[in-house]
Amino acid sequence: MTVLPSALDAKSAEYAANREALLGKLAELEAEHAKAREGGGEKYVERHRKRGKLLARERIELL
């Protein structure tokens, strides 16, 4: 197997800053994903239910 050389310095300040920025973006993405899985937020789920409708994921589960 060929080993690819790397010039990455995992102990540098730049690496640490980039890592923290990426982890922050991943946390934002996870929050948006959770919000989407919930149906857009409590406000929109409640409005949907008041209209007597099922959420898209609920309709899919019934299939």
Side-chain angles (χ1 to χ4, degrees):
M1 177 187 289
T2 304
V3 177
L4 299 175
S6 174
L8 180 68
D9 181 12
K11 296 179 183 178
S12 72
E14 183 181 10
Y15 176 86
N18 287 340
R19 182 177 187 278
E20 288 302 315
L22 179 61
L23 291 176
K25 292 293 184 184
L26 286 173
E28 288 176 26
L29 182 63
E30 181 61 34
E32 288 298 317
H33 185 250
K35 183 177 168 184
R37 289 189 61 88
E38 292 173 0
E42 192 62 36
K43 172 184 164 185
Y44 298 105
V45 170
E46 183 64 30
R47 183 172 69 182
H48 215 63
R49 296 213 190 279
K50 283 183 181 177
R51 294 177 180 173
K53 296 183 177 182
L54 295 174
L55 300 175
R57 293 183 188 281
E58 294 170 340
R59 291 193 308 267
I60 292 170
E61 285 179 20
L62 291 175
L63 294 175

